[in-house]
C-alpha cells in the first residue's frame, strides 16, 4: 500500500522538475541546410593561444546577446587543440588543461543557451596541428564519446591520411557516428585541397567539405577562394555543402564584409565566423544577422549560384530562389569604383512587364523594366533580389562617372556623368552636384539640371577640370543626383577615381621599373610586390633568382607606368614563379592600351622568356599577367629585371 504514494510522488517530481539544460534537438537530417555558427581556426600556430572553456562560453553568450542565435547561427564549433596530445588511461580523448575535466558540463552550457556544439578530430593519429590526438583506429570509441557528450557537429581533418585513403577513413568515422544513433553533422577539412573532397565526401557520409585550402582572412584570400569555386556547384545540395572558408572579419572593412557575405550566400556556403583572433572577439552582428542574406544562403532551388559575367575586375553572380525570384551580385574586386552592367536576363528570369528589385544591404525597393547595373565601389558588391511582376515602387536608377584610366598631373581632364532611369515611370527635377577633388578646379559648371528623364532614357553630362597648380593626389570625384519620382524624392550617389600619372626618374644609372613609382597596380591576390612575391618570398623561376629583383604579381594583374613618350625600350625576363607549382599564366606588354608583346600561355616549369619591347612614343606602359583562361589558382608570375631604357 505504501508503494503507490511513493510512485505518485516520483511521477510528480518527474513532471515538475526543471531540466538543468535546454538541450536543443539535433538536426533530424544533418546538413539539410548550410550550417551557420562560429568556430576557431586550426593549425599549430593557433594551438599556442587556442581558446579555453571560458572563451567558448563567452562566445556562446555573445551569439545569444547579439541576436545571432535567433537569426540562425546555432553552432559553436571548437577548433583543433581542444583535445590533449595524449588520450586518457581508458584510451578516450581528453581535453586540454584550458578546459574543465568535464566536457559534458561545457556541452550542457552551450545547449542551455539554445545552441549546438561541435568538436574537432582527424583521420590520423594526430590532427593537422600535430599537437592533438586524432581518431585513427579509435573511430568507434570517439564517435561514442562525442555522442555521449551530446555533440552535434564534428570537424574532421585529413592531414595525416596517406596513399589516397582519406575517403575510406572519413567513411569509417561517418559510419561510426551513424551507429551511435545521434545525428551529428560531419565536416571534412582537407587543408591541402589535393584530395578534391567534393568528388567523394558526400558518398563517404560527410555533410560539409572544404573547397579552399587556406583561411580566407583578408580580401585577397577571399577572392582566391571565390575563384576556386568555379565548376563546383553541381556537387552540393541538401545534405552536403561546399565550404569555401570562414570569416575572419577583422581583416575586412564593412564593404568587403558585405561583399563576401553576399557571395557566400549565393554559393549556399556555410556562414561561419572565425573567432581565432583577439581582434575578432566582437561579432559584427549588423552584417551577420541580415535576414535577407541569410534567407538567400538557406534557400535551395536546385541550382547553385554561379558566375554569369566577368570583365576581369568586375563580375556578376546569380542564384535562383525557390519562390521564382533570383539574386544577382554585382561584384567589384578592383581597386577603383567601377560601373557594372547587368540585367534580368543574366538572372535567367522570364519576360515580364516589370520587375521588383530589393537591395539586400540597404533594404531599398525599386522597380525596373530589366536593367540592373550601377556603380560599385572598390572591394564591394551590390546584392539584389529580383521578382518578375510589377511593383509599386520608385524606378530603379543608376549613376556613373567615367574618368580616364589615369590622368596627368598638370593637364585638364574630362569626366562623363550618366544618370539612367531603368524604371517604367519618369524621373523629374533631376539635379546633379559634383564635388571637385583637391587640388582640382572645374572649368565647366559643377551642377546641372534635367527637367525630366523618361523611362529607359539616360541623361549625360560632361565636365572638365584642371589641377591647381600641379596635382599630387589621385582624382576622386563624388557625384550626387537628387530627383523626384511617383514615390517621392530620391537620391543617387556615385564616385569616380583615376590614378595620377607619375613619370619615372631618369634611369641614367638604374632603369629598373621595380624601383620606380607606378600609376596604379591591380593584383589577383594581395598587392604587387617589389623584389618578392606572396608576402615576401624571393622571386624564383625554375629554381633561379635574379640579383636585379623585379615585380611579383598574381593573375589577373596590371601594373601601369607613365613614360610620357620619353623612353625607347622595355626589357624583362618573365615566367611562372615557383610559388605556383600548378600555375598557368600569360604575360603581356601594352603601350597606350595596344598590345606590344605577349608570351602566350605559360606553365610552371616552362623556360623563362626574355622580352625586348620597343616603347618609343608610348605614354602609358602596362604590364599585365593573365590567368590563361583556366582560373587564377597558383598563378604567381615574375617580371625579373624589368628595365626601361629612356
Amino acid at each position: 500500500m505504501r508503494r503507490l504514494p511513493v510512485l505518485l510522488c516520483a511521477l510528480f517530481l518527474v513532471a515538475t522538475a526543471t531540466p538543468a539544460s535546454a538541450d536543443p534537438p539535433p538536426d533530424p537530417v544533418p546538413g539539410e541546410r548550410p550550417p551557420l555558427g562560429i568556430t576557431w581556426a586550426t593549425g599549430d600556430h593557433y594551438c599556442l593561444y587556442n581558446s579555453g572553456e571560458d572563451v567558448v562560453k563567452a562566445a556562446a553568450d555573445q551569439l545569444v546577446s547579439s541576436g545571432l542565435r535567433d537569426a540562425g547561427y546555432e553552432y559553436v564549433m571548437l577548433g583543433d587543440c581542444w583535445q590533449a596530445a595524449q588520450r586518457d588511461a581508458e584510451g578516450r580523448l581528453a581535453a586540454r588543461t584550458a578546459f574543465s575535466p568535464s566536457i559534458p558540463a561545457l556541452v550542457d552550457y552551450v545547449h542551455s543557451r539554445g545552441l549546438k556544439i561541435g568538436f574537432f578530430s582527424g583521420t590520423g593519429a594526430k590532427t593537422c596541428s600535430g599537437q592533438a590526438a586524432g581518431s585513427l583506429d579509435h573511430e568507434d570509441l570517439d564517435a561514442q564519446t562525442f555522442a555521449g557528450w551530446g555533440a552535434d557537429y564534428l570537424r574532421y581533418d585529413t592531414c595525416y591520411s596517406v596513399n589516397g585513403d582519406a575517403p575510406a577513413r572519413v567513411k569509417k568515422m561517418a559510419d561510426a557516428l551513424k551507429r551511435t544513433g545521434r545525428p551529428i553533422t560531419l565536416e571534412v577539412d582537407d587543408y591541402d585541397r589535393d584530395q578534391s573532397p567534393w568528388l567523394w565526401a558526400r558518398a563517404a557520409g560527410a555533410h560539409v567539405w572544404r573547397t579552399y585550402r587556406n583561411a580566407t582572412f583578408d580580401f585577397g584570400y577571399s577572392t582566391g577562394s571565390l575563384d576556386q569555386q568555379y565548376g563546383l556547384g553541381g556537387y552540393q545540395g541538401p545534405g552536403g555543402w561546399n565550404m569555401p572558408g570562414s570569416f575572419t572579419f577583422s581583416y575586412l572593412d564593412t564593404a568587403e564584409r558585405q561583399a563576401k557575405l553576399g557571395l557566400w550566400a549565393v554559393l549556399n556556403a556555410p556562414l561561419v565566423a572565425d573567432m581565432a583572433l583577439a581582434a575578432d572577439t566582437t561579432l559584427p552582428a549588423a552584417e551577420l544577422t541580415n535576414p535577407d542574406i541569410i534567407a538567400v544562403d538557406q534557400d535551395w532551388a536546385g541550382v547553385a549560384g554561379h558566375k554569369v559575367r566577368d570583365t576581369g575586375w568586375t563580375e556578376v553572380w546569380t542564384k535562383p530562389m525557390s519562390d521564382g525570384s533570383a539574386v544577382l551580385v554585382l561584384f567589384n574586386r578592383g581597386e577603383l569604383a567601377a560601373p557594372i552592367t547587368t540585367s534580368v536576363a543574366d538572372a535567367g528570369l522570364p519576360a515580364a512587364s516589370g520587375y521588383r528589385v530589393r537591395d539586400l544591404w540597404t533594404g531599398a525597393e525599386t522597380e525596373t523594366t530589366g536593367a540592373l547595373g550601377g556603380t560599385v565601389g572598390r572591394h564591394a558588391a551590390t546584392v539584389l533580389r529580383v521578382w518578375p511582376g510589377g511593383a509599386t515602387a520608385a524606378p530603379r536608377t543608376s549613376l556613373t562617372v567615367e574618368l580616364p584610366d589615369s590622368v596627368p598631373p598638370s593637364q585638364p581632364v574630362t569626366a562623363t556623368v550618366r544618370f539612367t532611369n531603368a524604371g517604367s515611370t519618369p524621373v523629374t527635377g533631376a539635379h546633379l552636384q559634383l564635388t571637385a577633388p583637391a587640388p582640382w578646379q572645374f572649368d565647366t559648371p559643377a551642377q546641372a539640371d534635367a527637367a525630366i528623364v523618361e523611362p529607359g532614357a539616360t541623361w549625360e553630362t560632361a565636365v572638365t577640370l584642371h589641377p591647381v597648380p600641379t596635382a599630387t593626389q589621385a582624382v576622386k570625384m563624388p557625384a550626387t543626383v537628387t530627383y523626384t519620382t511617383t514615390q517621392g524624392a530620391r537620391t543617387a550617389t556615385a564616385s569616380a577615381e583615376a590614378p595620377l600619372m607619375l613619370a619615372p626618374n631618369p634611369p641614367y644609372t638604374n632603369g629598373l621599373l621595380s624601383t620606380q613609382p607606378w600609376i596604379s597596380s591591380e593584383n589577383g591576390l594581395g598587392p604587387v610586390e617589389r623584389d618578392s612575391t606572396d608576402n615576401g618570398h624571393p622571386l624564383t623561376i625554375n629554381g633561379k633568382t635574379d640579383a636585379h629583383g623585379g615585380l611579383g604579381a598574381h593573375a589577373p594583374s596590371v601594373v601601369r607606368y607613365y613614360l610620357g613618350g620619353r623612353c625607347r625600350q622595355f626589357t624583362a625576363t618573365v615566367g611562372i614563379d615557383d610559388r605556383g607549382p600548378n600555375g598557368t599564366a600569360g604575360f603581356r606588354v601594352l603601350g597606350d592600351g595596344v598590345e606590344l608583346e605577349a608570351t602566350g600561355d605559360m606553365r610552371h616549369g616552362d623556360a623563362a622568356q626574355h622580352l625586348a619591347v620597343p616603347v618609343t612614343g608610348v605614354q602609358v606602359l602596362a604590364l599585365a599577367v593573365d590567368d590563361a583562361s583556366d582560373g587564377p589558382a597558383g598563378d604567381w608570375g615574375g617580371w625579373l629585371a624589368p628595365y626601361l631604357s629612356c
Side-chain angles (χ1 to χ4, degrees):
M1 295 292 295
R2 298 179 60 182
R3 298 172 64 184
L4 181 58
V6 171
L7 178 60
L8 290 173
C9 181
L11 290 172
F12 176 80
L13 289 174
V14 170
T16 60
T18 300
S21 63
D23 186 349
D27 290 339
V29 181
E32 184 175 16
R33 303 283 182 183
L36 279 63
I38 58 174
T39 191
W40 283 262
T42 63
D44 53 357
H45 50 301
Y46 293 106
C47 293
L48 297 176
Y49 58 91
N50 194 23
S51 59
E53 180 176 337
D54 291 344
V55 172
V56 174
K57 288 182 176 179
D61 291 342
Q62 190 181 162
L63 281 179
V64 177
S65 63
S66 65
L68 282 164
R69 179 197 62 185
D70 295 339
Y73 291 81
E74 59 181 351
Y75 284 103
V76 177
M77 310 171 191
L78 276 62
D80 197 357
C81 291
W82 70 268
Q83 71 274 53
Q86 304 298 325
R87 293 172 175 267
D88 66 16
E90 297 179 349
R92 297 181 181 275
L93 292 172
R96 302 185 85 180
T97 55
F99 294 86
S100 71
S102 177
I103 285 291
L106 176 61
V107 174
D108 285 346
Y109 185 86
V110 172
H111 284 168
S112 74
R113 307 297 280 152
L115 300 165
K116 298 174 181 177
I117 191 166
F119 292 88
F120 192 102
S121 189
T123 61
K126 297 182 292 184
T127 57
C128 280
S129 68
Q131 301 182 36
S135 292
L136 180 64
D137 298 328
H138 294 80
E139 289 84 358
D140 277 300
L141 177 60
D142 289 355
Q144 293 165 11
T145 299
F146 293 137
W149 288 341
D152 307 290
Y153 200 100
L154 176 62
R155 296 177 61 193
Y156 207 51
D157 75 42
T158 61
C159 286
Y160 286 90
S161 291
V162 295
N163 300 323
D165 67 353
R169 291 193 185 188
V170 169
K171 187 176 188 306
K172 190 173 182 181
M173 175 55 80
D175 291 343
L177 291 172
K178 290 177 183 177
R179 285 192 289 270
T180 69
R182 181 176 180 84
I184 297 177
T185 300
L186 178 61
E187 173 184 325
V188 175
D189 286 356
D190 172 19
Y191 291 102
D192 293 329
R193 199 181 180 273
D194 295 334
Q195 302 181 72
S196 303
W198 52 89
L199 297 176
W200 52 264
R202 184 192 290 269
H207 311 102
V208 179
W209 43 86
R210 287 180 65 95
T211 52
Y212 186 58
R213 62 183 299 174
N214 296 313
T216 55
F217 287 165
D218 60 16
F219 185 76
Y221 278 114
S222 298
T223 57
S225 176
L226 182 68
D227 293 336
Q228 297 273 4
Q229 306 311 308
Y230 302 156
L232 301 186
Y235 296 103
Q236 69 172 10
W241 305 100
N242 296 327
M243 173 57 165
S246 56
F247 289 79
T248 307
F249 40 83
S250 60
Y251 284 98
L252 304 173
D253 62 28
T254 299
E256 292 170 339
R257 204 177 294 163
Q258 291 181 348
K260 184 172 180 179
L261 276 165
L263 288 161
W264 262 231
V266 163
L267 292 171
N268 287 112
L271 302 183
V272 180
D274 194 324
M275 305 290 290
L277 302 179
D280 291 338
T281 55
T282 301
L283 292 162
E287 288 94 30
L288 289 171
T289 58
N290 183 311
D292 288 325
I293 296 295
I294 293 173
V296 174
D297 181 77
Q298 298 290 291
D299 185 279
W300 180 253
V303 179
H306 57 285
K307 184 168 63 175
V308 293
R309 184 169 298 183
D310 188 338
T311 62
W313 300 108
T314 65
E315 303 171 5
V316 177
W317 293 70
T318 189
K319 166 182 158 40
M321 299 289 285
S322 56
D323 68 347
S325 65
V327 176
L328 282 156
V329 179
L330 286 61
F331 176 46
N332 177 13
R333 66 169 70 203
E335 296 299 322
L336 307 176
I340 299 180
T341 301
T342 187
S343 69
V344 296
D346 282 337
L349 290 171
S353 58
Y355 301 83
R356 171 190 166 203
V357 184
R358 180 174 175 83
D359 186 311
L360 300 192
W361 283 114
T362 68
E365 294 214 0
T366 55
E367 59 86 19
T368 181
T369 56
L372 294 165
T375 297
V376 181
R378 68 175 292 276
H379 294 190
T382 298
V383 185
L384 305 174
R385 188 167 178 179
V386 187
W387 291 264
T392 304
R396 180 170 178 81
T397 62
S398 64
L399 176 63
T400 61
V401 183
E402 182 180 304
L403 282 167
D405 288 340
S406 55
V407 300
S410 58
Q411 298 178 25
V413 61
T414 298
T416 302
V417 184
R418 295 183 179 90
F419 177 73
T420 299
N421 177 6
S424 59
T425 56
V427 164
T428 59
H431 175 74
L432 167 67
Q433 178 66 62
L434 297 169
T435 302
W440 297 76
Q441 289 184 357
F442 285 109
D443 295 333
T444 51
Q447 302 182 53
D449 296 282
I452 186 169
V453 182
E454 297 287 357
T458 295
W459 170 37
E460 183 174 306
T461 303
V463 295
T464 302
L465 59 166
H466 68 274
V468 181
T470 299
T472 58
Q473 303 177 36
V475 177
K476 296 182 179 180
M477 186 171 63
T480 301
V481 172
T482 55
Y483 57 97
T484 302
T485 73
T486 56
Q487 302 299 310
R490 293 290 188 274
T491 300
T493 61
S495 180
E497 181 176 348
L500 203 64
M501 294 182 182
L502 296 175
N505 297 321
Y508 299 125
T509 58
N510 184 359
L512 288 172
L513 278 183
S514 52
T515 67
Q516 304 297 329
W518 53 57
I519 298 173
S520 64
S521 68
E522 301 172 18
N523 210 47
L525 188 60
V528 175
E529 298 180 30
R530 301 180 191 272
D531 303 331
S532 64
T533 191
D534 192 18
N535 296 316
H537 291 87
L539 289 167
T540 307
I541 297 175
N542 294 331
K544 297 181 180 180
T545 60
D546 192 309
H548 296 98
L551 300 172
H554 187 286
S557 174
V558 181
V559 187
R560 299 180 182 89
Y561 290 92
Y562 178 57
L563 308 188
R566 302 187 310 176
C567 299
R568 304 187 313 274
Q569 187 179 49
F570 167 75
T571 59
T573 299
V574 299
I576 307 301
D577 194 273
D578 291 347
R579 291 297 291 171
N582 299 312
T584 56
F587 297 78
R588 293 188 298 143
V589 179
L590 301 98
D592 299 328
V594 177
E595 186 177 288
L596 305 177
E597 186 69 76
T599 63
D601 294 344
M602 300 180 67
R603 296 182 175 277
H604 181 257
D606 288 352
Q609 294 190 35
H610 181 73
L611 307 179
V613 186
V615 293
T616 300
V618 169
Q619 298 292 313
V620 177
L621 176 73
L623 308 181
V625 182
D626 304 323
D627 67 2
S629 301
D630 61 356
D635 289 353
W636 301 101
W639 298 88
L640 301 185
Y643 194 90
L644 198 62
S645 300
C646 299

